[in-house]
Amino acid sequence: GPADLVFTGTFLWWGGSFSGSGKTVITTNATLTAKTTNSKWIERPVDNYGVATFADNMTVYVRNSIWDNKPGSVMNFPKGGAYNWAGGSPLLVNSGAINKAGTNSLSLYYVPLNNNAALNITEGKVSLDGGTNTGSIQINTNATLELASSTFVLRTNTAFTGSGNFRIISSAILGLETDVDLGTLRVFFDSIYPPQGSFAMANSPGGSISFNRALTVPNSFLIGGALATTATNIVLTINGDLVLENGSVVDNPGSIRV
């Protein structure tokens, strides 16, 4: 219906939908726990000031809805799941914390993520289809952040931590509007498209940037860890500068042109 639905305590969501023109509001001290693998639908805006936990590996269908994780709020995915486009222009906005645990995958299928605060991937995989980042992204050693399609833009204040995997695959585009320090992440470029934006990428000892396709990239690279091509037929053309710090490694069975 048109009225707002406001939760101030504990709410268990077993199935069904949030629909209508009003908002669903999870207040500061409230908790929403979505349980069972039953499909669920979100068809109205959701403002989360509290804690929302999608406790089981479920599919949530999102139609023309903005889920807005407010500052101080938490959104937990302990067992992965799918947050799927079901029509319109849905969006997930995070100004609090999104936590992904468990060995399963969490897929945001054609629902962009605008991360302004903290995305924490402690285990398993998070797969994104576009969005923006001005916050922190933590990818632990056994975890993966995957850009599967569309453009994901890294903006000012982007910060990466952890030594997990960051993969850009298929037709996804990594957009840069700032220089980015990838630290000790293992970064894999396997998209048919190069990064956009002539900003610099850097890494640290223990980190690596690998190219699995022939690409011409506009970026400069400051390598403190490793830079690699992964096959003899890969030609990497760097249109910016390449700076190799003391102790860095270039693993290049293909060809790197600067």
Side-chain angles (χ1 to χ4, degrees), residues 128 147-152 168-174 191-194:
L128 300 181
L147 306 187
S149 70
S150 302
T151 301
F152 190 71
I168 301 93
I169 69 166
S170 189
S171 61
I173 297 173
L174 179 66
S191 172
I192 60 174
Y193 296 116

Side-chain angles (χ1 to χ4, degrees), residues 58-198:
M58 68 191 70
T59 299
V60 180
Y61 294 99
V62 187
R63 177 180 290 134
N64 215 27
S65 167
I66 297 176
W67 181 294
D68 194 349
N69 237 25
K70 300 293 187 178
S73 69
V74 179
M75 193 176 191
N76 295 317
F77 293 91
K79 295 184 179 179
Y83 196 81
N84 284 1
W85 178 89
S89 301
L91 179 66
L92 176 55
V93 178
N94 178 43
S95 300
I98 296 177
N99 300 317
K100 163 66 178 72
T103 58
N104 292 331
S105 174
L106 169 63
S107 172
L108 273 63
Y109 181 72
Y110 288 112
V111 180
L113 168 67
N114 289 354
N115 180 48
N116 306 316
L119 172 61
N120 303 312
I121 311 170
T122 58
E123 198 175 10
K125 181 174 74 174
V126 172
S127 181
L128 300 181
D129 284 352
T132 63
N133 187 78
T134 58
S136 66
I137 299 176
Q138 177 181 331
I139 311 171
N140 283 8
T141 300
N142 295 319
T144 298
L145 174 62
E146 179 182 271
L147 306 187
S149 70
S150 302
T151 301
F152 190 71
V153 180
L154 304 180
R155 293 177 172 161
T156 303
N157 296 323
T158 288
F160 286 99
T161 57
S163 52
N165 304 304
F166 182 25
R167 296 183 177 273
I168 301 93
I169 69 166
S170 189
S171 61
I173 297 173
L174 179 66
L176 274 69
E177 294 183 359
T178 186
D179 295 338
V180 175
D181 186 352
L182 298 162
T184 56
L185 293 177
R186 298 185 295 272
V187 183
F188 301 90
F189 285 95
D190 197 22
S191 172
I192 60 174
Y193 296 116
Q196 290 183 348
S198 55

Side-chain angles (χ1 to χ4, degrees), residues 203 205 223-227 243-250:
N203 68 4
I223 303 300
L227 174 67
V243 178
L244 302 175
E245 295 188 324
N246 187 38
S248 62
V249 175
V250 176

Side-chain angles (χ1 to χ4, degrees), residues 211 229-236 252-255:
F211 287 85
T229 59
T230 58
T232 57
N233 63 338
I234 293 176
V235 178
L236 172 62
N252 184 32
S255 176

